[in-house]
Amino acid sequence: MEFEMTYNTQEDALVIAEYGRHVQNLINFNKTIKDDKERQEFAESLIELMYQMNSQSKNTLDFKSKLWKHFFMIAGYNIQVTPTSGDLPQKADMLIKPERVDYPSKEYEFRHYGHNVRLMMEKAIAMEDGTIKDGFVETIASFMKLAYKNWNREHYVSDEIILEDLKSLSKGKLSVADDRSLDTLASAVTIKKRRPSHSNNNNKRRNNNRNNNNNNRRRR
């Protein structure tokens, strides 16, 4: 007995790869069923099969509706069955693209500082004037300088650049005194990197104790 082998390259391309070849073949077979009731029941059984294949998405809102859309897409929108919702998916619906959302120019211009900087600025603007607010604004500016350095390591960044950006982002509502340094956070990060951790010190002590014990045993 001879068997004729079929290679994937000889098969039709998969419309939605995640469902596999067998589901696509079953949907194509579904299209050939002549009896309307039998064709409908077979389609609903296939939807249940597709549902079980995506069990991790069972809690997704309107997931069954999505499966029917995939079903009709695989069928080439050429099958006489009706989704349980009663709405027939159309090919044109799948071609609709969402409207482009323009990225805010200011947000894009200062993207290297991150969105959290803007949130901190809003909080600082709402604070009462005083030493606490001044210290908070200095911290924001210091963080901005650190973020700028991480973003552009090849160029020197001065306090003047950061203060100008601070003024621009806060619309002139926040400022730092000229005699204040913005390298506070950068210095703290450097010190933290250089300072050995307690765990490292403890490990060194344990290793020394083990070595001393081993030496004492050898002498005995």
Side-chain angles (χ1 to χ4, degrees):
M1 181 180 296
E2 296 183 358
F3 294 94
E4 183 178 352
M5 297 185 65
T6 303
Y7 297 94
N8 286 336
T9 53
Q10 297 174 288
E11 298 278 1
D12 295 333
L14 289 174
V15 179
I16 303 180
E18 64 185 270
Y19 295 111
R21 176 73 58 189
H22 294 300
V23 169
Q24 182 162 309
N25 288 341
L26 287 171
I27 292 176
N28 287 333
F29 171 76
N30 197 174
K31 294 163 64 175
T32 66
I33 298 176
K34 296 182 179 180
D35 183 78
D36 292 342
K37 182 179 179 181
E38 184 179 350
R39 188 188 323 112
Q40 179 69 31
E41 291 177 349
F42 195 89
E44 292 176 3
S45 298
L46 284 179
I47 292 296
E48 288 301 321
L49 173 62
M50 294 163 68
Y51 183 68
Q52 294 300 323
M53 291 174 65
N54 293 272
S55 58
Q56 71 279 5
S57 302
K58 285 184 177 181
N59 294 327
T60 303
L61 186 64
D62 296 331
F63 186 63
K64 285 287 184 72
S65 177
K66 178 182 177 181
L67 290 178
W68 277 108
K69 291 178 181 178
H70 289 175
F71 178 93
F72 273 82
M73 184 184 297
I74 295 173
Y77 300 94
N78 183 28
I79 185 170
Q80 300 298 318
V81 294
T82 304
T84 51
S85 65
D87 299 325
L88 288 175
Q90 302 295 328
K91 186 176 181 179
D93 297 335
M94 305 302 294
L95 299 178
I96 298 176
K97 295 182 179 180
E99 296 182 3
R100 179 182 176 85
V101 178
D102 294 329
Y103 198 86
S105 58
K106 280 293 181 183
E107 188 88 13
Y108 181 81
E109 183 181 354
F110 296 104
R111 66 189 184 280
H112 48 279
Y113 293 129
H115 184 66
N116 286 334
V117 166
R118 299 173 186 274
L119 297 179
M120 289 190 292
M121 286 185 182
E122 291 177 3
K123 184 176 181 179
I125 293 172
M127 294 173 64
E128 294 183 2
D129 294 338
T131 55
I132 296 178
K133 178 176 180 178
D134 293 341
F136 186 48
V137 175
E138 288 179 20
T139 302
I140 295 173
S142 184
F143 176 80
M144 290 172 63
K145 186 171 184 179
L146 183 62
Y148 196 110
K149 286 181 177 179
N150 290 333
W151 173 68
N152 192 350
R153 298 176 182 272
E154 297 180 358
H155 295 85
Y156 170 76
V157 53
S158 64
D159 288 1
E160 287 74 17
I161 293 176
I162 301 302
L163 295 177
E164 191 64 31
D165 289 349
L166 175 69
K167 182 179 179 181
S168 177
L169 283 168
S170 65
K171 298 180 180 179
K173 296 179 180 179
L174 299 177
S175 61
V176 176
D178 296 334
D179 60 342
R180 308 299 295 179
S181 173
L182 302 185
D183 293 318
T184 306
L185 289 180
S187 300
V189 171
T190 303
I191 293 173
K192 186 176 181 180
K193 289 181 178 178
R194 292 177 180 176
R195 183 182 300 167
S197 63
H198 293 293
S199 58
N200 290 336
N201 291 333
N202 291 334
N203 290 333
K204 289 180 180 179
R205 291 173 184 171
R206 290 172 187 168
N207 292 332
N208 290 334
N209 291 335
R210 289 175 185 172
N211 292 334
N212 291 334
N213 291 335
N214 291 333
N215 290 333
N216 292 332
R217 290 174 183 173
R218 290 174 184 172
R219 289 174 184 173
R220 294 176 183 174

